[in-house]
Amino acid sequence: MAQFLFNLFAAFTLVCALGVVVNKNAVNAAMCLLLALVGVAGLFVALNAYLLAFLLLLVYAGAVVALFLFIIMLLDTKGEQRPGLKHASLVARLFAAALVGAGLLSFFARSRLPEPALGPASAAVGAELKLYAYQLFTTYLLPVQVIGFLLLAAMLGVIVISKKLDAAEDAP
Amino acid sequence: MNLDYAGLFHALRPETSLVVGALIILGLDLSIFRRHTPVERLNLALWIGALAVLAAAAHVWFAPEGPVFGGVLILDKLAMATRLGVLGLTLLTFGVASAAPAPRNPAEQVAIILFATTGFLLMAAAQQLLLAFLALELASLSLYVLAGFDKTRPESAEAALKYFLFGGMAAAFLLFGFSLIYGLTGSIELPQIAGQLFHVTLSPLLVVALVMVLVAFGFKAAAAPFHLWAPDVYEGAPTSSAALIASASKLAGFTLFARLFWREFGAVAGSVSSAHGEPGWLPAVAVIAAVSMLIGNFGALAQSNVRRLLAYSAIAHAGNLLLGVIAAGDAGPAPFYYYAATYGLATVGAFGVIAVAERAGPCQKITDLAGLHRRSPLLAGCLAVFVLSLAGIPPLAGFFGKFTVFSAALQMGGLAGPAGWLAMLAIALSALALYYYLVILKQALVAKPAPDAAPIAVPAIAKLALVLAAGLIVLFGVNPSLLLGLF
């Protein structure tokens, strides 16, 4: 049953992710992204990581994709006609596809994947809110702090780059 | 896990100094100095920033060695040397920034440089995949913003966008590689991963993970074939940002990835010391190094723009540095550290000269440097030191850097294997590189100035920074043990 659910959600996620890439309409692509995230959340549930699945649905599927849709509608992008393939670009695509194909082929031909050399099973951090929060503020204290400063730097950058040139401000 | 919060705080005092400095700069600029001119605000921000960097350097110098917070960070000799090098290069970048025209948001620029430096410091010491990725992203994100800081020139926006798109892609590859490693070993701590991989042979999944991490490394190092962003970013970004991207970012990136590859993947390194070496990541790095040397040096020959020339020279130097990383298994990190640090000094200096020369007019083409010796003898002299060091002329530091890296590579197995061949290729291409470096010097030292070219006044702080950089290059070249003695 677990294997069946994994296959189901994995296939669902892959198909939806493909839809994000090939869809010409930006709104449809965003909706496909939403479905792909739901599929990933399903995979998390299959791993007993209920909290992560919940957070993924709440933050990404709920907030981030909604923001994407807002921005797409604000910019009013139409499904634009794609430029025809140039000769060089076609050759490059074929080459890249052949490279990936060869890699996958050799991967399957020699597919004696070793059993993951996992250590003693650690508690699933994403299972329970209390454990998750405890880990976040003890073991992973430093990464959380670094993310804080990363967001601060990003915010500074957004403000500086997106602020309109103001003639009055530039005058000495 | 041993959670020693006091120890963590002690170990992070350098980063804390930088971040506190950045916050003070932002606070003062928003409150007291709001009505001042951009030049005054820039100078104030630069002075506070320089104090923060000096405080951080003092903390680095007196920090105790050893793992911190259960091995999240490792403060070893390489970490200390890299942190000192990064802080020194940041200080010189401030000198470059003081020579360039003040941007519209001077305080934000200095604060973001300090955030980037914080990321570099963490990269130098990170021993955990999660922290390594976040430190890299903190630094990269700050650098993307800095590349697009000049809103008056569309080239700057183009540079930022290209850098961001390439960097985002590389970060995605790195994260995918890291997650595969976590899946294979069940750990994100470097020592545990190394212990797990010791029993594992080179499985297909591990190869995929290795390739993905290698892609991100190639991007960070601007090594071919992941180099395409470098010429546009060096050309379009504001001069001080380009100086930081070319120097401190390189040094920290090489330390991070050398630690990652040797500490984590040491068991699957393979071998390049004989013609029939074992498979592993070393042969792949050797190929990237050879391609970088060829593309960098031959690409630089065709350039007429100084900054693009410096970018292609950076790609060629990345190839030499990768050779140093290959040799680090036998010779230790000292050769590539010495190379990266002295290369950073020379590049920051060259960008500093460009920044000062731009005060008197545009300085994009090589011919814009014509007659620099008449317009400002000091500038021409400093440029000669930097460019000759990049070319590897004794007694400057660039010569000894090349010497120590190439001899370490030749000691790996002589001319019997790819490492030795690579060293010979690098030596031959260094001779070729002399041509395009001398083209710059010919314009600066021999050619006559344009009739309407005015003398260039060098501001005092920029003069200090340039003379300091040139002096350090001579000093480290004459007495390399000053840097090598850190190990």
Side-chain angles (χ1 to χ4, degrees):
Chain A
M1 185 63 186
Q3 185 64 43
F4 171 72
L5 278 180
F6 173 82
N7 289 346
L8 184 73
F9 280 119
F12 181 69
T13 309
L14 277 179
V15 169
C16 294
L18 203 66
V20 179
V21 182
V22 297
N23 239 317
K24 283 185 184 169
N25 188 327
V27 177
N28 289 354
M31 293 320 260
C32 282
L33 182 64
L34 186 71
L35 288 180
L37 288 171
V38 172
V40 176
L43 288 176
F44 279 153
V45 170
L47 287 170
N48 289 335
Y50 302 109
L51 180 69
L52 277 186
F54 177 66
L55 284 178
L56 191 79
L57 283 179
L58 199 69
V59 177
Y60 282 91
V64 174
V65 175
L67 267 181
F68 278 1
L69 284 174
F70 266 125
I71 292 171
I72 290 167
M73 288 176 182
L74 275 179
L75 295 178
D76 192 24
T77 51
K78 307 240 162 49
E80 283 169 20
Q81 203 65 39
R82 290 189 187 189
L85 286 183
K86 292 222 180 70
H87 198 63
S89 132
L90 192 66
V91 170
R93 279 177 201 211
L94 282 178
F95 183 68
L99 213 60
V100 172
L104 283 178
L105 209 63
S106 81
F107 202 88
F108 285 122
R110 316 187 315 159
S111 65
R112 11 174 212 90
L113 288 184
E115 284 291 306
L118 287 174
S122 49
V125 175
E128 193 188 333
L129 187 57
K130 193 175 168 190
L131 185 64
Y132 182 75
Y134 180 77
Q135 293 275 347
L136 212 55
F137 288 98
T138 54
T139 316
Y140 300 111
L141 177 72
L142 185 55
V144 171
Q145 295 294 326
V146 175
I147 287 183
F149 286 111
L150 198 153
L151 290 177
L152 180 60
M155 199 170 70
L156 268 178
V158 168
I159 292 171
V160 167
I161 287 183
S162 65
K163 216 165 91 178
K164 285 237 166 63
L165 279 168
D166 188 3
E169 194 194 357
D170 271 0
Chain B
M1 197 184 204
N2 176 22
L3 297 177
D4 174 13
Y5 295 104
L8 181 65
F9 181 70
H10 277 292
L12 288 180
R13 275 179 301 179
E15 286 82 356
T16 313
S17 317
L18 293 178
V19 167
V20 168
L23 295 179
I24 289 176
I25 290 170
L26 289 175
L28 281 183
D29 190 68
L30 282 176
S31 54
I32 304 172
F33 285 86
R34 200 168 173 179
R35 301 268 163 240
H36 288 243
T37 62
V39 176
E40 285 168 355
R41 286 159 63 193
L42 177 67
N43 281 336
L44 175 89
L46 285 174
W47 279 115
I48 299 176
L51 280 181
V53 169
L54 286 176
H59 286 311
V60 169
W61 186 255
F62 292 112
E65 284 193 12
V68 180
F69 205 60
V72 173
L73 293 169
I74 177 84
L75 296 183
D76 54 4
K77 291 202 163 64
L78 176 62
M80 189 192 73
T82 307
R83 287 169 140 204
L84 285 178
V86 163
L87 290 170
L89 291 171
T90 307
L91 212 53
L92 292 174
T93 306
F94 284 158
V96 177
S98 77
R104 276 188 345 117
N105 303 79
E108 283 84 351
Q109 186 188 26
V110 177
I112 293 179
I113 291 179
L114 286 177
F115 281 130
T117 311
T118 312
F120 299 149
L121 292 195
L122 287 171
M123 278 161 75
Q127 214 192 6
Q128 185 201 43
L129 295 185
L130 187 60
L131 187 68
F133 179 75
L134 286 175
L136 192 68
E137 280 312 291
L138 175 59
S140 303
L141 212 65
S142 310
L143 291 179
Y144 306 146
V145 175
L146 284 174
F149 221 85
D150 188 354
K151 287 181 66 181
T152 55
R153 287 184 20 247
E155 294 94 340
S156 178
E158 184 193 337
L161 191 64
K162 278 186 178 160
Y163 196 24
F164 176 68
L165 289 179
F166 266 94
M169 202 68 192
F173 269 94
L174 185 66
L175 206 53
F176 204 162
F178 278 178
S179 57
L180 285 177
I181 294 165
Y182 178 62
L184 277 169
T185 60
S187 173
I188 54 170
E189 318 277 338
L190 251 49
Q192 273 95 308
I193 293 172
Q196 289 283 349
L197 289 184
F198 198 69
H199 311 292
V200 178
T201 50
L202 202 59
S203 68
L205 213 52
L206 186 58
V207 172
V208 175
L210 273 173
V211 168
M212 293 202 156
V213 177
L214 208 56
V215 168
F217 183 21
F219 163 77
K220 197 71 202 161
F226 315 106
H227 65 283
L228 293 162
W229 57 274
D232 290 319
V233 171
Y234 281 38
E235 186 186 0
T239 317
S240 53
S241 315
L244 195 67
I245 292 170
S247 61
S249 159
K250 276 276 178 66
L251 177 58
F254 267 95
T255 297
L256 172 72
F257 281 99
R259 194 192 297 285
L260 212 58
F261 273 102
W262 279 113
R263 191 69 60 77
E264 177 184 56
F265 299 130
V268 287
S271 130
V272 285
S273 50
S274 66
H276 303 288
E278 306 154 39
W281 56 265
L282 274 180
V285 174
V287 171
I288 294 179
V291 176
S292 304
M293 287 172 195
L294 288 169
I295 288 186
N297 281 311
F298 283 104
L301 284 178
Q303 301 306 317
S304 61
N305 182 311
V306 194
R307 292 162 187 251
R308 290 187 86 86
L309 193 151
L310 282 175
Y312 277 98
S313 126
I315 296 164
H317 280 284
N320 294 346
L321 271 165
L322 287 175
L323 190 59
V325 172
I326 291 173
D330 290 344
F336 87 80
Y337 169 75
Y338 182 89
Y339 195 117
T342 54
Y343 164 74
L345 274 176
T347 318
V348 166
F351 275 111
V353 170
I354 293 175
V356 177
E358 268 184 343
R359 297 170 70 91
C363 183
Q364 288 280 346
K365 293 214 165 69
I366 297 178
T367 46
D368 289 339
L369 287 169
L372 197 65
H373 65 292
R374 293 269 180 78
R375 301 171 69 194
S376 167
L378 174 85
L379 224 49
C382 287
L383 184 67
V385 171
F386 302 137
V387 170
L388 289 177
S389 176
L390 287 175
I393 303 291
L396 302 171
F399 166 73
F400 192 79
K402 283 198 165 99
F403 174 77
T404 174
V405 165
F406 297 161
S407 64
L410 280 170
Q411 272 164 12
M412 285 180 73
L415 286 176
W421 306 337
L422 212 53
M424 296 313 289
L425 177 72
I427 291 169
L429 288 174
S430 298
L432 179 83
L434 201 56
Y435 169 75
Y436 57 81
Y437 288 124
L438 288 181
V439 166
I440 300 182
L441 285 189
K442 181 186 155 210
Q443 287 293 338
L445 298 180
V446 181
K448 289 208 174 87
D452 57 340
I456 302 171
V458 188
I461 301 173
K463 202 181 278 181
L464 182 70
L466 287 177
V467 171
L468 189 66
L472 283 176
I473 284 178
V474 175
L475 185 66
F476 290 146
V478 174
N479 192 354
S481 57
L482 282 178
L483 272 187
L484 296 175
L486 290 172
F487 290 89

